[in-house]
Amino acid sequence: MDYIIEEKFELGPLVTFVPNKKHPVYSWFHFKEGFSRDFVMMIFDQFKLMEGDWVLDPFCGSGTTLLASKERGINSVGVDVMPLAVFLSQVKTMDYDLRHLKNVAQDIFSKRFTKPSIEGLSPLVRRAFTKYALEDILFFKQVISEIRDVLAKNFFTLALMIAANKVSMAYKDGAVIKFRKRKHIPPLRPVFKRIVKKMFYDLKTLQTKKSIIKVYHADARRLDFLEDRSFNAVITSPPYLNIIDYIKVYSIENELFFNQTKIDIHGLRSYIGIDIEKNYSEFDYLDVPPIGKAYFRDMKDVLSELYRLLNERGNAVLVVGEGVFPDKIIPVPIILSEIAKDIGFHVKRIVHVNKRTVTDPNRKKIGIALESLIFLEK
Ligand SMILES: C[S@@+](CC[C@H](N)C(=O)[O-])C[C@H]1O[C@@H](n2cnc3c(N)ncnc32)[C@H](O)[C@@H]1O
């Protein structure tokens, strides 16, 4: 190892979504796996990025890197395999005509309620909402589907998605959906109105600059549609080893708003860390379970793409967590750094920013799992 390893646990909160709650637009839709605007801004300063530079986030999630780039006038490209993530990234980074949106809102809320059928919805969705809430959601979904302007349609779809979450009995707990009893559930219509108003306010408040933003629904392991050496920096957080059920935890949103009722096994297998049937023998030297080898094989493809896409002396930062298994903790940041070095990257630093004690189901301590930043330079 010829790189510096530091501890900066004071940065821990910045690699969570929590600080985004206080920032206009960033706060739309709580994306648990996200990092914060403040983290991205800190990295922009460290990397000395300027207006007109190009930044890539190949696992863009809810679009935090892209939106921060828009604030700074930096051009950005985001990639994600999950349609919900692509949708969030697009809606949050578009330029809107607020007056037009206000007219559309007036139209939406002036429509008289007609009772939709809730037949055909999965048991999961039925359990998540009261019958009245579901009818309201489906009614507004229908009204929104008739909006012709795609920008406005997507904007109000997101607002409805956020409102639906507020009247839901389901909540996300790590990678699983859980249910709670609620004594008082507010009716959807006023909640939806309030969210739309807040989103209008946010659009007025967030100061952005002119920049180019592109969001692709694609796989970070194959970015051949992007040109060699076209980025000054990469800021990203790949899925963590063994915490990967992204589709499942968003299945209510996927069914209600993207009409995806069943999990597409083929799509799922393309997620990093799941395709364990490929040949991963090159990682046999690692003492990790097959899923771990698959993860490192996939991440090797991603890192090779990033190397190709960065320009000379281009910088990258990856937020990664150690992999927790019942009998051990896998030092993902160290292994990824070694892989990056083999590809040709200069590993500048690893900074540990979070640590948590992990236990097995019998509450026996497995160890301490770290979350770290890996700084690479081409
Ligand atoms: C940790 S989250 C990123 C969150 C993001 N930094 C934010 O602030 O919202 C990882 C993302 O990687 C996506 N992902 C998983 N496998 C992928 C792949 N093979 N290619 C592209 N994206 C992938 C997931 O859908 C998820 O949105």
Side-chain angles (χ1 to χ4, degrees), residues 289-307:
I291 196 163
K293 289 179 196 164
Y295 178 81
F296 292 117
R297 182 69 196 77
D298 286 344
M299 283 304 294
K300 185 180 171 189
D301 288 347
V302 174
L303 286 165
S304 305
E305 281 294 66
L306 301 187
Y307 190 79

Side-chain angles (χ1 to χ4, degrees), residues 194-211:
R194 186 162 49 76
I195 300 286
V196 167
K197 221 170 136 185
K198 160 82 169 52
M199 286 171 71
F200 286 166
Y201 179 78
D202 278 9
L203 286 181
K204 261 199 306 203
T205 317
L206 187 74
Q207 301 286 321
T208 57
K209 294 188 174 151
K210 251 202 137 31
S211 66

